[in-house]
Amino acid sequence: MVNILMILIASLLPLSGSSRSVTSDLLIAQTSKVAADEGDDKKTKKEDKAKKEPKEVKTEEDLWSEPAKDGDKKAKKDKTPAEDEVEEISPDEIEDIDDEGDEDDEGHKAESGDDLGGADLERDTWGDEERIENAEALDKGYDQTKPDAGQKKPVAAKRLSPDAGLIAKEKVDAGIAASPADGKTADEFEIPHNLEQILMPSGTVADLSALWEQRRIHLAQRDFDLAADDLKKFVGLKQELSIRNMFSHANVLIREANVARQAEDMNQALGLIDTAVVVAPDLPSVYLKQAALFFSDSPFKVGRIFGALTQASSAMFREPFSANRFFVNLVAGLSLGLGLTAAIFILVQFLLYLRLFFHDFHHLFPQGVAKLQTGLLAILVILIPVIFRTGLVTILLAWALIAWIYQQRWERLVTFLAVVLLAVAPYVLNWLVSAMALPESIAGDLLAVDRYNAPPKSISRLKSLLEEESDSQVILATLGSYYKRSGELDLAEQYFNRSIKAGPRSEVLHNNLGNVMFLKNDINKAVEHYDQATKIRPDLAIPYHNLSRAYSRKLDLDKAKEHREQAYRLDTEHIRQLIKRAKSGLARDVVVDLEIPKAWLLKADTKKNGHKQTATVSYMWSSWGGVGSPDTFPYVGAGIAGFFGLMWFLRRKMFLSAACVRCGRPACRRCNTELPDESVCGQCYHAFKHKEQVDAKSRISKEIQIRHFKLRKERLARFITFILPGVGQLIKERPLRGALFLSVFCCVLVQMLLRDGIMANTVAIGSGLDWLKLVPLMLVFLGFYVWAILDAFKNN
């Protein structure tokens, strides 16, 4: 009032224009100085009072804020409020105001004091027009600062303090004196931004598809600005809906990045790849393409290149479908490669010892029977598994048994490993069929709804399954999470309640249902479910964090602080990140869900799917596997392995023949009883040990025969090594090295022939070669191929 009176007196004085302006200017300056002095006195008193009284937790701002540092306090202390609050007025502006007052006097015959008072009031409210209009608009439910101010906003968007009015009214009705905090608005109570309003998703999955289609149309029209805006809206809505991965859309962005790279627009390519990382953070090919772009942009910045490659390997094992596809292709490739190795090894060993089998089989019949007859009968015995179509595995096991009784120690070891590999083949086949069926199984539908963009066919299949199995806890929980993310809180509450009743207690279900009740503003029920979650898993920080939010909404700040501190003790860094994210105001960030365990989703299956997989495995096994069913064949393999051991134990008593170390003919003690052992045949024994009984011409002929045999063996080993590395080592009686070369060759060959594996990536775009896979395989193949050839040409 003193300031206003001094200005009125100055304006009424009958002075000339110049002296009047100076006087007014002098009075304005004095008024500003007085206001500044008064502001300093008030600030000093407030600071002295704050030093004497400790800071109490009266608002949620106090609850979630950290103590200010000494430097910040000093900076605030040095600042003069009058400098910000008082607006300086130039003398010219004062003259304009006085002139306007004179005109009003002449035209309307108004009193000069009223006119000057109106001008003064107008000066006092400068800069507040927008605030006043916004406050009036807020009461009407819309915001004047936005272009669509005429459209009424949802009630949830009003900046009201949580339950403050209800609490005050309940206290008054009960005859309790209201506390100073009751009934205050959000501005008066200083609620931070993340709890002033909770923003539900602004669209649905269908809106995502519409935005993507709209972007495609704008790209076709070459309106790149609108297309970029559409992509930005698409990513924002995806984040609001808590959809983690959208693989197909990310692959489209990868293709667009390739086009931009070919056009030498590296900035555009890198921007598209960065967006693809946000769209599908668990897609390995995104990070591989990012690493390739980083290398093209700056090959010497190896840090970010290796960082992208590390992210690619991490994403491969983090994302369920990618990890499943990787392991299916890996296990299938190794199984086929090692199975091919086992088959080739058994076949080579069988052919090497087939001559000895024919010789010993002839001894089973009386003397006088022609060798041709016994040989034909032996061939018939060998082909019995083929004639009766017992399966490839049974044929290999039968032929392995024939070679087993003649093999040396290391050859038997490799044969035993091959037999074990064939015996466990049904288990591997069963796992492969089950894993390959994951994308179209119930577990795949659950993963698609819970972690991805929830295809309509997956949702419809889950709902139809609920009609048959209404107590499936994991399906109910998955649908509850889906509807909660979509903003349909009533449906989410129904599914979560049914899920809790259907199975054992779970902290995930209680926490997420508490979030639903929190968003529905039923804070008491939310607190109940959060309490249940903390009792089931007291070591988790998120339920305590959500509980502190609920108590903050009830204005019970002491309990809110208590649970906030408990959350900090359990996981400080994570809680800090959650508090930072909550500033967005999105529903998914204000209260945080617990993720449904991946083990729940992957193990979810039905009897119907189980029967289908069993039927598929049985059909495949009966077609080419072996005798019996996939469940019983391992016992058959164990019996065959036991029979192998028995044959090895009885080998000495059966007087079986052996290959001569000189000429390779059968060395049989039943044919030549004078032989001390089976190391040499009868001809070599008489030609080189009992030389007096053999003439020189026969001995020389035998030596030539031996030399030709070794030369043929060496040439065959070298030649076949060029075709099948490792077989030459088997012929030259190096079984371990030969098995190593052969297994590497077969596994790499299978991987190169399959290229994309038996389970291809259904969302990948393009059919180009995967050089990141083929180049290392080719290097390994060439390395072992050259090594095998050099070893085959090496003399014993």
Side-chain angles (χ1 to χ4, degrees):
M1 290 298 297
V2 175
N3 300 338
I4 296 175
L5 291 176
M6 294 179 68
I7 294 175
L8 291 174
I9 295 172
S11 59
L12 293 174
L13 289 176
L15 297 175
S16 61
S18 59
S19 58
R20 180 180 176 182
S21 175
V22 173
T23 307
S24 300
D25 190 6
L26 179 60
L27 289 175
I28 291 294
Q30 292 176 352
T31 304
S32 301
K33 184 176 184 303
V34 172
D37 294 339
E38 293 178 355
D40 291 339
D41 295 338
K42 293 180 180 179
K43 184 68 176 179
T44 304
K45 292 179 180 180
K46 289 182 179 179
E47 290 179 354
D48 294 340
K49 186 177 181 180
K51 290 180 180 179
K52 295 178 181 179
E53 298 179 0
K55 185 178 181 180
E56 297 181 359
V57 180
K58 295 183 178 179
T59 68
E60 192 171 354
E61 181 73 22
D62 299 334
L63 176 66
W64 297 100
S65 61
E66 297 181 358
K69 297 181 180 180
D70 296 338
D72 297 338
K73 293 180 178 179
K74 185 176 180 180
K76 293 181 179 179
K77 181 178 179 180
D78 295 339
K79 187 176 179 179
T80 304
E83 296 175 358
D84 294 335
E85 297 175 357
V86 178
E87 184 176 0
E88 296 182 0
I89 305 174
S90 64
D92 296 335
E93 292 175 339
I94 296 177
E95 291 182 28
D96 295 337
I97 295 172
D98 293 336
D99 294 338
E100 292 176 0
D102 295 338
E103 293 176 0
D104 292 337
D105 289 340
E106 295 174 0
H108 303 285
K109 298 180 181 181
E111 295 181 2
S112 60
D114 294 338
D115 292 339
L116 289 174
D120 187 64
L121 289 175
E122 183 180 358
R123 241 187 338 260
D124 290 342
T125 58
W126 283 350
D128 292 340
E129 294 86 347
E130 184 178 359
R131 179 180 60 81
I132 296 172
E133 291 176 1
N134 289 340
E136 295 174 354
L138 188 62
D139 294 335
K140 298 177 182 179
Y142 59 91
D143 193 351
Q144 288 277 17
T145 61
K146 296 186 178 180
D148 55 346
Q151 299 179 0
K152 190 174 178 69
K153 296 279 184 177
V155 179
K158 291 184 179 181
R159 299 177 59 218
L160 300 177
S161 61
D163 296 336
L166 293 176
I167 294 174
K169 186 177 183 303
E170 290 175 359
K171 289 187 176 182
V172 171
D173 294 341
I176 303 174
S179 62
D182 294 339
K184 291 186 178 181
T185 62
D187 290 335
E188 294 170 343
F189 199 70
E190 300 180 4
I191 299 296
H193 175 69
N194 57 351
L195 284 182
E196 290 176 2
Q197 56 183 6
I198 298 178
L199 304 177
M200 301 304 293
S202 58
T204 62
V205 177
D207 296 327
L208 274 178
S209 302
L211 281 172
W212 188 261
E213 179 63 18
Q214 182 175 317
R215 176 180 181 270
R216 188 190 64 80
I217 295 174
H218 286 154
L219 286 175
Q221 296 173 351
R222 305 188 66 80
D223 196 340
F224 301 111
D225 293 336
L226 287 179
D229 188 57
D230 294 335
L231 183 59
K232 184 177 180 181
K233 293 178 181 178
F234 176 86
V235 173
L237 182 56
K238 169 192 171 292
Q239 299 295 89
E240 291 180 17
L241 293 172
S242 300
I243 299 175
R244 182 167 179 82
N245 293 291
M246 302 186 74
F247 292 145
S248 300
H249 303 79
N251 278 289
V252 171
L253 294 175
I254 292 175
R255 184 176 62 181
E256 293 178 2
N258 289 333
V259 174
R261 179 186 177 186
Q262 293 173 1
E264 298 182 356
D265 190 352
M266 188 58 66
N267 292 331
Q268 176 72 6
L270 290 174
L272 289 170
I273 284 297
D274 291 340
T275 306
V277 169
V278 178
V279 172
D282 294 333
L283 185 62
S285 58
V286 173
Y287 299 101
L288 294 178
K289 179 56 64 176
Q290 190 179 45
L293 290 178
F294 284 159
F295 182 79
S296 300
D297 184 40
S298 181
F300 297 103
K301 294 182 179 181
V302 295
R304 62 176 186 173
I305 297 174
F306 281 103
L309 294 176
T310 303
Q311 288 290 337
S313 60
S314 175
M316 182 179 297
F317 298 102
R318 182 173 63 244
E319 197 277 315
F321 288 116
S322 297
N324 179 71
R325 184 173 60 252
F326 171 78
F327 284 114
V328 165
N329 292 331
L330 178 64
V331 172
L334 290 177
S335 300
L336 292 175
L338 294 177
L340 182 61
T341 302
I344 295 175
F345 180 84
I346 291 175
L347 181 61
V348 171
Q349 292 291 301
F350 170 72
L351 294 176
L352 289 176
Y353 294 106
L354 184 60
R355 183 179 183 182
L356 301 180
F357 175 75
F358 282 134
H359 181 85
D360 292 332
F361 190 81
H362 176 72
H363 281 296
L364 296 177
F365 297 90
Q367 293 182 356
V369 179
K371 288 188 176 181
L372 179 61
Q373 294 175 329
T374 58
L376 292 175
L377 187 58
I379 293 175
L380 183 62
V381 172
I382 292 171
L383 294 179
I384 286 177
V386 180
I387 295 172
F388 287 96
R389 296 181 180 181
T390 57
L392 178 61
V393 176
T394 307
I395 295 172
L396 292 175
L397 289 176
W399 292 357
L401 178 61
I402 294 174
W404 173 271
I405 57 180
Y406 299 105
Q407 288 176 333
Q408 302 300 318
R409 179 178 59 180
W410 295 113
E411 293 173 336
R412 286 198 187 98
L413 175 62
V414 179
T415 302
F416 177 77
L417 294 177
V419 170
V420 171
L421 180 64
L422 295 175
V424 300
Y427 293 113
V428 178
L429 182 61
N430 189 20
W431 183 86
L432 286 175
V433 171
S434 176
M436 291 180 65
L438 175 63
E440 299 299 327
S441 65
I442 300 302
D445 289 334
L446 291 172
L447 285 169
V449 173
D450 186 68
R451 307 290 176 88
Y452 309 108
N453 55 336
K457 62 177 183 179
S458 297
I459 296 176
S460 62
R461 279 202 295 257
L462 293 180
K463 288 184 176 180
S464 62
L465 184 62
L466 278 179
E467 298 177 359
E468 302 175 5
E469 302 179 10
S470 58
D471 58 345
S472 178
Q473 187 179 39
V474 63
I475 296 178
L476 291 168
T478 302
L479 290 175
S481 297
Y482 166 73
Y483 284 116
K484 187 257 181 185
R485 294 195 306 271
S486 302
E488 301 182 40
L489 301 181
D490 292 334
L491 286 175
E493 180 184 1
Q494 294 176 15
Y495 280 111
F496 275 128
N497 280 321
R498 290 175 59 186
S499 179
I500 291 175
K501 295 176 182 178
R505 298 198 312 161
S506 170
E507 71 282 357
V508 175
L509 302 180
H510 281 287
N511 178 82
N512 296 354
L513 179 56
N515 292 343
V516 172
M517 304 314 297
F518 183 94
L519 296 176
K520 293 184 67 175
N521 210 23
D522 193 344
I523 308 301
N524 292 328
K525 287 188 177 180
V527 170
E528 293 178 6
H529 288 291
Y530 291 147
D531 280 332
Q532 290 294 328
T534 58
K535 291 176 182 177
I536 298 172
R537 287 290 303 274
D539 58 327
L540 290 180
I542 288 180
Y544 288 102
H545 170 74
N546 293 335
L547 195 56
S548 67
R549 291 292 192 197
Y551 279 119
S552 297
R553 178 62 67 93
K554 295 180 66 175
L555 299 182
D556 192 346
L557 299 182
D558 291 334
K559 289 187 177 180
K561 180 180 180 181
E562 176 186 349
H563 291 93
R564 188 279 308 259
E565 292 175 350
Q566 178 64 19
Y568 262 108
R569 282 192 292 268
L570 292 173
D571 196 344
T572 303
E573 187 61 30
H574 189 202
I575 297 301
R576 286 178 178 173
Q577 294 176 1
L578 294 179
I579 294 174
K580 187 180 297 184
R581 283 170 44 189
K583 295 179 180 179
S584 67
L586 296 176
R588 66 182 180 90
D589 294 330
V590 174
V591 284
V592 184
D593 285 346
L594 286 176
E595 193 175 67
I596 297 177
K598 187 169 64 175
W600 285 19
L601 305 175
L602 293 178
K603 290 181 179 179
D605 209 341
T606 61
K607 297 179 180 179
K608 184 177 180 181
N609 286 339
H611 291 322
K612 286 183 179 180
Q613 294 175 11
T614 303
T616 303
V617 174
S618 299
Y619 174 77
M620 296 177 65
W621 183 253
S622 62
S623 300
W624 57 268
V627 296
S629 65
D631 296 330
T632 60
F633 184 79
Y635 301 103
V636 176
I640 294 175
F643 185 69
F644 279 15
L646 179 63
M647 293 297 294
W648 176 78
F649 180 75
L650 298 176
R651 180 179 181 276
R652 295 286 182 181
K653 299 181 180 181
M654 296 172 62
F655 297 102
L656 298 175
S657 61
C660 177
V661 295
R662 289 179 178 269
C663 64
R665 295 178 69 252
C668 180
R669 298 178 66 182
R670 287 179 292 185
C671 297
N672 299 280
T673 56
E674 71 275 10
L675 294 178
D677 53 34
E678 297 87 3
S679 60
V680 293
C681 63
Q683 292 181 2
C684 294
Y685 178 77
H686 290 289
F688 300 106
K689 292 191 176 181
H690 293 278
K691 299 179 182 181
E692 65 278 358
Q693 298 180 4
V694 179
D695 57 0
K697 184 178 179 180
S698 299
R699 187 181 305 111
I700 292 173
S701 177
K702 187 63 179 177
E703 288 179 353
I704 294 174
Q705 182 183 356
I706 293 172
R707 192 171 299 172
H708 287 171
F709 167 74
K710 291 184 177 179
L711 183 60
R712 289 195 304 270
K713 184 177 179 180
E714 187 70 22
R715 287 178 178 176
L716 177 63
R718 292 178 179 179
F719 171 75
I720 204 170
T721 301
F722 285 96
I723 303 174
L724 287 174
V727 176
Q729 282 74 14
L730 298 180
I731 295 174
K732 299 176 71 172
E733 299 178 359
R734 302 174 186 172
L736 294 180
R737 193 173 300 181
L740 174 63
F741 292 145
L742 186 60
S743 61
V744 173
F745 170 77
C746 292
C747 291
V748 174
L749 180 64
V750 168
Q751 292 288 352
M752 293 177 66
L753 291 177
L754 293 177
R755 198 177 73 176
D756 294 331
I758 63 173
M759 189 176 183
N761 188 359
T762 57
V763 298
I765 295 178
S767 58
L769 295 177
D770 189 358
W771 292 107
L772 289 175
K773 175 183 177 182
L774 290 179
V775 170
L777 289 177
M778 292 175 64
L779 292 176
V780 173
F781 175 81
L782 290 176
F784 276 88
Y785 185 77
V786 173
W787 185 13
I789 292 176
L790 295 177
D791 186 77
F793 279 84
K794 182 180 179 181
N795 295 326
N796 291 334

